[in-house]
Amino acid sequence: MMKQHSTDSSQRDRIVEQAMRMFVAQGVKGVRMDDIAQQLGMSKRTLYEMFGDKEELLYLAVKRYMDIHFEEHDRITQGGGNVLESLFLLLNHVVDNTEESARLSTGMRRFYPAVHDRLLADGEERQHRCMAEMLRRGMDEKLFIGNIDIELAVITMHHLATVLGGTREMKIPDGMTANEAMLQIICTFFRGIATVQGIAM
């Protein structure tokens, strides 16, 4: 019985991984359950029996995509010598993946809004915890001023990332990409909360 459960779990993981790769490469609308089943050499009926519908498989696949990036974020933030170095290593990684992530987010928001909102809630909570921890670390390292309202700072950064990385609601200068705008704005933000030591660094 235990062996069967392990096999089922392994098969589900394999399906989720394959679906994730396909959704990232082809877009959430362009991938059908038929396509996933064909790629995996199984029947569409089996997919529906295991996941119920495309929305559930999409949720699990994009959640896996997010998990991979959060694991990478953890690795990056542990690698910096100080919080500023970690933040900018992390920011570069986010910027490098903005186009891909925005394409996924836009597709879900347009065609699968319930899945989009569910994943957004999952991601916001994790991002909030990560950023709050880095701000506290910066205060402990005397690189950020000690009277930051952490909640407000995290909300501000989240809205900046949402506007510049997904919705494109903010007007930016001609000739400047959204990624360049994000880098400039966030650099200015961190300079504003930095101590003299932090600014020098």
Side-chain angles (χ1 to χ4, degrees):
M1 187 71 174
M2 184 66 108
K3 186 175 181 182
Q4 178 63 41
H5 176 75
S6 175
T7 302
D8 289 347
S9 177
S10 174
Q11 185 180 31
R12 281 178 63 89
D13 289 345
R14 185 170 69 93
I15 293 167
V16 168
E17 287 283 338
Q18 180 61 40
M20 178 194 73
R21 288 193 290 270
M22 293 176 72
F23 287 132
V24 169
Q26 302 171 41
V28 299
K29 181 66 172 175
V31 178
R32 303 169 305 159
M33 293 291 267
D34 283 313
D35 301 323
I36 297 169
Q38 184 178 10
Q39 194 70 31
L40 289 161
M42 62 174 53
S43 70
K44 184 170 68 171
R45 179 179 175 180
T46 301
L47 282 184
Y48 280 109
E49 286 174 351
M50 294 183 74
F51 297 97
D53 56 25
K54 179 181 174 180
E55 289 201 6
E56 183 61 20
L57 180 52
L58 174 61
Y59 169 78
L60 293 170
V62 180
K63 187 174 185 301
R64 176 62 185 140
Y65 174 86
M66 291 168 59
D67 288 343
I68 290 170
H69 283 280
F70 277 117
E71 289 163 10
E72 182 68 7
H73 292 177
D74 287 343
R75 186 191 67 75
I76 289 169
T77 55
Q78 295 304 316
N82 59 69
V83 74
L84 284 173
E85 185 178 339
S86 295
L87 278 165
F88 283 103
L89 287 170
L90 180 57
L91 181 58
N92 282 329
H93 179 263
V94 169
V95 166
D96 287 344
N97 291 279
T98 293
E99 186 177 335
E100 183 179 88
S101 299
R103 189 169 59 247
L104 265 179
S105 179
T106 300
M108 287 189 297
R109 189 168 60 245
R110 182 175 177 187
F111 299 111
Y112 301 95
V115 177
H116 174 270
D117 292 348
R118 190 176 167 194
L119 286 162
L120 188 65
D122 291 347
E124 281 181 353
E125 183 180 346
R126 293 170 75 174
Q127 289 170 347
H128 190 106
R129 285 199 309 267
C130 175
M131 187 51 61
E133 177 56 37
M134 295 193 81
L135 288 170
R136 290 189 189 96
R137 179 180 158 195
M139 292 163 72
D140 291 343
E141 293 177 3
K142 311 298 184 191
L143 298 177
F144 296 152
I145 56 178
N147 61 346
I148 301 169
D149 186 313
I150 289 178
E151 186 71 15
L152 178 60
V154 170
I155 290 170
T156 300
M157 292 188 63
H158 170 73
H159 281 291
L160 280 173
T162 300
V163 169
L164 292 170
T167 64
R168 302 292 193 266
E169 290 174 357
M170 182 172 141
K171 172 106 174 112
I172 57 177
D174 291 340
M176 178 179 286
T177 67
N179 287 352
E180 289 168 343
M182 181 188 291
L183 284 168
Q184 286 201 29
I185 292 170
I186 291 184
C187 285
T188 302
F189 175 84
F190 282 122
R191 188 175 180 84
I193 65 171
T195 60
V196 172
Q197 181 183 348
I199 291 171
M201 187 169 292

